[in-house]
Amino acid sequence: MARSVYVSGIGRGDGRQAVELGVMELLTRHVDKVGIFRPLLHPPADHVLDLLRSRYRIDIPVADMIGMSYDEAAALQAEAGLDELVSRLVDRYRALERECQTVLVLGTDFHETNIPDELAFNARLANEFGSLVLPVVGGHRESADQVVAEVRNAYRAFTDLGCSVLAMIANRVEGRDKQDVQRRLTRTSSVPVYVIPDDPALSAPTVAQVVDATGAEVLLGDASGLARDVRRFVFGGAMLPNLLDALSDGSLMVTPGDRADLLIGALAAHAAGSPPLAGVLLTLGLRPDENVLGLAARIAPGTPVLATKEGSFPTATELSTLEGRLSSANPRKTETALGLFELHVDTTELTNRIELSRSERVTPMMFQHELLERARERLMDIVLPEGTEERILRSAEVLLRRNVCNLTLLGDEGAVRRRAAELGLDLGLDREPGAAATAARARVIDPVSSPLRESFAETYAELRKHKGMTVELAADVVSDVSYFGTMMVQQGLADGMVSGAVHSTAATIRPAFEIIKTSPGASIVSSVFFMCLADRVLVYGDAAVNPDPNAEQLADIAIQSAGTAARFGVEPRIALLSYSTGTSGSGPDVDKVRKATDLVRERRPDLLVEGPIQYDAAVEPAVAATKLPGSPVAGRATVLVFPDLNTGNNTYKAVQRSAGAVAVGPVLQGLRKPVNDLSRGALVQDIVNTVAITAIQAQQGARA
């Protein structure tokens, strides 16, 4: 395996930080211990290094990941020469390399440095480190001819200096030129070339950056509001009707502080969802009175209202050079950058060229990366019935930015748009398909007014006529978001459904029992949790659905859980748990587990299964050697089947909280089509993981 990848540019403005982030994401999917090395640093802070350390939980001290500052490098080179400078940096790199499986090297930034030829300097370091080089060429505001020429020149420059070039990346290319540039470079290049189009969301500054640049005071707004992207500055001085025509999604309105009419009018338009604003910046040091500010806070809660002492012209001058940046303080921009990289770079090809072999140790982060990567292989459509719930909307934005799947949000469209606007979220509901037509997209459907309601009512009435259901009653039933979403899945209008953030488990899965029903060969619907421990992933079943399964049902749960484990890359070794191991105990509870184990062996002789067995004997080799020596499962179990819901639910929560495990699920199994439930305490990342799992289940169902 190559020890390191060196990302280098040929100048400023190439947006290589997004590429560095994308490469780090790729490396951490396969390797547990990834290091980061920045040869030269502009103190006091490095936003990209801080972002990568925090996002990927790198526990290496910062000082060990930095060579030296630019000033120190300039002084050392002047005193002792270039060779001594390079030698010192190589020593620093080697010390880090010994602690890691692979290293991402962040090249110099071409900004206010005293290095005469930075490209040659980066090439020299890459050769001394033994790194593969990934050059990034910026295409912002350049023609297709210019981009093609610069990529070719950069490739020749690095290869002439003896570098092993991994691939070439043309970044921030005009969307209309992407295909032309890709075709021309691919035809003549001996290494892969990836062309990434410019995305205004990445270059857009955040409201927080506006605050820093202008020294503005935050009159109103919360942290999520300050994280909004500013896509456009609109300077308001006209009457309100003319101003409203000028506003667009993501605008920051800049207006004198005495124009309360424009402030309230713009926020009212934002609250209506058209258009959703980034915020308002008031100039001239004029502050609206408290009545106006109170009204503004009620109209658009969370939306930033800022005030600066400067006039409009100096404020405009300050804002004109402001550009967005990736940082740990702005996770939304990070998700956008990763989504763009993964959409336009063949990560499988790049992984193969780096010669990454997957680590035997599976960390929670690696497992979650794998989920997103697999979900992206084929865009499925997942319906989210709770379309106005904050966590669902925030998850939807992440899923769309990462191109995980297409989404259908259920609810009144105006209410969904207003809620998204209040939260400052960009779901791309009005975006026209263009160069990124393969990117994930979202839509909103209102079950009450949808033309689908009538046909769904007829179908549901037919399914439930044995219960006395009529079309008239069914029309009311299918207007419920859970039933409407389930009908969409059943009718093939969506590939899967995820609900439960605000609905009970019963409200989520009852429609699935009635409409989708169990798959052939499954006697019951059950669930599993993927328990991501520090060094492995275990599968727990059933900890969410069946209160007290009998022996036959327990055997079914074990077989279903083994299948689910295998489909998600966990080799199934089944332990049916009890308070007794082997033949050491007796009684109804133990006998149930023993009978279930025999049934699994009878039905699926190909599966490795042990039971009854205690938890410690199932997962700890030393205990297993004493209690069940010679068992192919004891001490190595990966699928743990609990005898009842009480035991399973309590155990998964105890392990989650006490061992710091990441619990992904519950994942329902046994249904004909994928429907999954959420815990009502689910976090945004939990929802993202569950939607990704549902998309993967839908892919597998489509292939079957």
Side-chain angles (χ1 to χ4, degrees), residues 178-179 195 197 339-340 342-345 375-380 399-406 432-442:
K178 179 190 183 302
Q179 298 302 327
V195 180
L340 200 65
E342 291 158 346
L343 185 61
H344 298 284
V345 173
R376 273 192 296 269
E377 291 176 1
R378 175 180 174 183
L379 287 183
M380 310 307 287
L399 291 160
L400 294 168
R401 288 184 180 227
R402 296 295 300 276
N403 299 299
V404 174
C405 59
N406 296 318
E432 292 295 327
T438 54
R441 299 181 62 80

Side-chain angles (χ1 to χ4, degrees), residues 472-497:
E472 291 75 17
L473 290 173
D476 289 334
V477 173
V478 300
S479 65
D480 174 85
V481 290
S482 297
Y483 276 90
F484 191 93
T486 306
M487 286 298 302
M488 288 187 68
V489 176
Q490 174 64 16
Q491 298 293 85
L493 301 175
D495 300 303
M497 184 179 90

Side-chain angles (χ1 to χ4, degrees), residues 20 67 88 200 294 297 424 479 602 675:
E20 291 165 343
R88 296 270 187 96
S479 65
E602 178 184 322
V675 171

Side-chain angles (χ1 to χ4, degrees), residues 381-389 392-393 396 407-417 419 427 429 442-450 452 456 477-489 493-494 496-499 502-503:
D381 194 315
I382 306 301
V383 59
L384 304 175
E386 298 152 324
T388 57
E389 157 63 25
I392 293 293
L393 290 171
L407 296 173
T408 300
L409 298 165
L410 298 186
D412 175 76
E413 183 167 357
V416 172
R417 288 179 178 273
R419 189 64 177 130
L427 303 180
L429 296 174
R443 60 177 173 171
V444 180
I445 295 179
D446 184 356
V448 176
S449 60
S450 170
L452 295 170
F456 284 179
V477 173
V478 300
S479 65
D480 174 85
V481 290
S482 297
Y483 276 90
F484 191 93
T486 306
M487 286 298 302
M488 288 187 68
V489 176
L493 301 175
M497 184 179 90
V498 174
S499 188
V502 293
H503 289 87

Side-chain angles (χ1 to χ4, degrees), residues 139-159:
H140 185 51
R141 296 179 180 171
E142 294 197 352
S143 68
D145 289 342
Q146 290 173 310
V147 175
V148 170
E150 288 186 20
V151 170
R152 289 172 177 166
N153 289 337
Y155 175 74
R156 280 194 294 270
F158 279 103
T159 53

Side-chain angles (χ1 to χ4, degrees), residues 3-20:
R3 289 295 292 169
S4 62
V5 176
Y6 195 117
V7 180
S8 178
I10 61 171
R12 285 185 59 76
D14 53 25
R16 84 184 73 111
Q17 297 83 5
V19 175
E20 291 165 343

Side-chain angles (χ1 to χ4, degrees), residues 281-569:
L281 174 60
L282 305 174
T283 62
L284 300 175
L286 299 173
R287 177 185 176 124
D289 66 37
E290 294 305 316
N291 289 332
V292 173
L293 284 178
L295 179 59
R298 290 192 295 274
I299 290 174
T303 299
V305 176
L306 319 174
T308 178
K309 296 178 181 179
E310 298 293 340
S312 296
F313 182 76
T315 299
T317 303
E318 192 69 51
L319 296 177
S320 64
T321 58
L322 203 56
E323 277 211 349
R325 68 182 178 213
L326 296 177
S327 73
S328 56
N330 194 344
R332 295 172 60 209
K333 200 175 290 290
T334 299
E335 300 296 348
T336 300
L338 285 172
L340 200 65
F341 181 88
E342 291 158 346
L343 185 61
H344 298 284
V345 173
D346 187 338
T347 54
T348 301
E349 180 181 46
L350 203 59
T351 300
N352 292 336
R353 287 183 61 81
I354 301 172
E355 298 179 0
L356 285 174
S357 56
R358 192 171 297 278
S359 171
E360 292 184 5
R361 189 173 115 104
V362 180
T363 66
M365 183 177 292
M366 292 168 70
F367 182 74
Q368 292 174 80
H369 287 339
E370 177 75 11
L371 292 180
L372 299 188
E373 187 175 18
R374 290 181 61 184
R376 273 192 296 269
E377 291 176 1
R378 175 180 174 183
L379 287 183
M380 310 307 287
D381 194 315
I382 306 301
V383 59
L384 304 175
E386 298 152 324
T388 57
E389 157 63 25
E390 177 177 347
R391 288 166 296 156
I392 293 293
L393 290 171
R394 292 193 183 280
S395 304
E397 188 185 48
V398 173
L399 291 160
L400 294 168
R401 288 184 180 227
R402 296 295 300 276
N403 299 299
V404 174
C405 59
N406 296 318
L407 296 173
T408 300
L409 298 165
L410 298 186
D412 175 76
E413 183 167 357
V416 172
R417 288 179 178 273
R418 283 192 297 274
R419 189 64 177 130
E422 288 172 4
L423 298 170
L425 304 177
D426 178 15
L427 303 180
L429 296 174
D430 298 316
R431 204 166 298 152
E432 292 295 327
T438 54
R441 299 181 62 80
R443 60 177 173 171
V444 180
I445 295 179
D446 184 356
V448 176
S449 60
S450 170
L452 295 170
R453 182 181 176 186
E454 183 178 346
S455 64
F456 284 179
E458 292 173 355
T459 301
Y460 182 73
E462 180 63 25
L463 286 171
R464 304 292 291 175
K465 64 182 180 182
H466 64 288
K467 295 288 187 179
M469 182 61 62
T470 65
V471 173
E472 291 75 17
L473 290 173
D476 289 334
V477 173
V478 300
S479 65
D480 174 85
V481 290
S482 297
Y483 276 90
F484 191 93
T486 306
M487 286 298 302
M488 288 187 68
V489 176
Q490 174 64 16
Q491 298 293 85
L493 301 175
D495 300 303
M497 184 179 90
V498 174
S499 188
V502 293
H503 289 87
S504 67
T505 295
T508 298
I509 66 176
R510 185 187 298 114
F513 290 162
E514 295 178 2
I515 297 168
I516 294 176
K517 306 185 187 306
T518 57
S519 57
S523 64
I524 59 171
V525 173
S526 62
S527 73
V528 296
F529 281 90
F530 290 97
M531 301 300 295
C532 304
L533 304 175
D535 59 350
R536 55 187 158 166
V537 176
L538 300 178
V539 178
Y540 284 9
D542 172 8
V545 178
N546 296 287
D548 188 17
N550 59 33
E552 289 75 14
Q553 292 171 329
L554 203 57
D556 200 352
I557 291 169
I559 292 170
Q560 289 181 13
S561 300
T564 300
R567 285 191 288 273
F568 286 91

